[in-house]
Amino acid sequence: MKRIIILFVATLISITGIARIKAPVVDIKGNLNDYDYFYVVPTGGITSTSFASYSGAVVPTGIVYSAAAGGTNSVVPSDLITGFLMKYGYNIIHSITPENADKTLVISYGYTGKRYVSAFSYASGVIIQMRDASTQELVASFETEGLGENETDEISQALYDALYMFQYNKSPKVEVEIFKTTRSTVYLDLKNATPNPISHVTLQLTYYHSGEVVYEQITDADVKMNSGEYMYPYVKRDKQARNK
């Protein structure tokens, strides 16, 4: 019996190990930093059992086993999105008015389906779209997949991955070093230190004199960088910065 259990566990690990989700798809068409407010389109809830029920199933080792269905869990995608944004300090609004429309992103959730990835695993895909509330133009979309014990786990994981990609693209965490400066230009060594692609960064150059800030220059830069990639952009100092 001991030998059978070991073989069974080893088989599950082997099969789980080959399960692969698709790489995230990020499409940024506008500047996410142009928006101050977020409106999340309400969704219904999704409920599933905690794990699948098998009776007399035969695994590849030839061992017969059974597993009873567990309890249920559920997720409401719009609530998850709202909670995430609130946790990280984004401004959630519950109605769009003419006064705030041009500064508001409308966030919509979509389910892209379930995909078979291994003998015991499926992946569920989701997409989050962000549109300008005043023009309805697409500003950004994030498409991801998630693995889990059931559909709600898969969707939750995929949603969090999509939201983290949004966060990284709105406020990307990058490593920056200044390797050369002239009177008119600052040359940078930029690395994408996030686990996801980024397409936009905001660079803030701060000038000090005697330990005090005397001037700040903020520059938006459009970049296309995968995780771990380097770029060597330069920032033109504006007129006031050149005099500092």
Side-chain angles (χ1 to χ4, degrees):
M1 179 61 71
K2 183 177 181 181
R3 180 170 176 268
I4 292 176
I5 293 174
I6 292 174
L7 287 173
F8 180 58
V9 173
T11 301
L12 285 180
I13 292 173
S14 174
I15 292 169
T16 303
I18 64 174
R20 295 288 185 270
I21 59 176
K22 291 181 179 178
V25 177
V26 179
D27 185 14
I28 307 293
K29 298 182 179 297
N31 187 349
L32 292 167
N33 289 284
D34 287 343
Y35 301 90
D36 298 326
Y37 308 104
F38 298 86
Y39 174 82
V40 182
V41 178
T43 68
I46 302 164
T47 302
S48 60
T49 56
S50 60
F51 54 88
S53 176
Y54 298 92
S55 180
V58 180
V59 298
T61 54
I63 301 168
V64 178
Y65 76 104
S66 64
T72 60
N73 55 0
S74 61
V75 61
V76 181
S78 58
D79 287 352
L80 190 152
I81 295 169
T82 299
F84 180 97
L85 296 176
M86 292 176 68
K87 177 180 179 180
Y88 288 99
Y90 296 106
N91 296 318
I92 302 296
I93 60 174
H94 299 290
S95 62
I96 301 171
T97 66
E99 291 75 25
N100 63 32
D102 62 342
K103 288 292 184 179
T104 299
L105 274 180
V106 178
I107 304 179
S108 301
Y109 157 85
Y111 177 67
T112 60
K114 187 180 285 288
R115 186 175 65 87
Y116 176 82
V117 294
S118 77
F120 293 100
S121 299
Y122 287 83
S124 289
V126 306
I127 185 169
I128 293 176
Q129 287 190 340
M130 300 185 174
R131 294 184 178 274
D132 185 297
S134 60
T135 66
Q136 300 303 308
E137 292 182 354
L138 182 66
V139 177
S141 68
F142 306 92
E143 188 173 351
T144 54
E145 282 189 341
L147 289 171
E149 292 184 352
N150 52 60
E151 191 173 51
T152 55
D153 285 346
E154 295 158 5
I155 289 173
S156 296
Q157 179 187 318
L159 266 174
Y160 276 121
D161 286 348
L163 289 165
Y164 279 122
M165 280 195 295
F166 153 72
Q167 187 182 26
Y168 286 136
N169 277 272
K170 182 170 172 60
S171 304
K173 299 176 182 178
V174 296
E175 296 174 1
V176 182
E177 291 185 5
I178 297 175
F179 67 87
K180 181 182 177 182
T181 61
T182 66
R183 183 170 180 81
S184 62
T185 307
V186 178
Y187 296 88
L188 304 172
D189 182 344
L190 187 67
K191 178 186 178 182
N192 178 4
T194 78
N196 297 302
I198 60 174
S199 60
H200 177 271
V201 293
T202 299
L203 301 168
Q204 179 174 303
L205 302 179
T206 304
Y207 298 85
Y208 293 87
H209 180 70
S210 300
E212 294 186 1
V213 176
V214 294
Y215 184 68
E216 288 185 340
Q217 176 185 337
I218 297 177
T219 303
D220 289 327
D222 291 324
V223 300
K224 297 291 183 183
M225 299 174 66
N226 292 318
S227 178
E229 286 188 344
Y230 289 84
M231 285 189 70
Y232 305 96
Y234 61 87
V235 177
K236 289 288 187 181
R237 297 190 186 190
D238 60 30
K239 184 175 180 179
Q240 285 182 282
R242 290 196 297 269
N243 296 329
K244 301 299 177 182

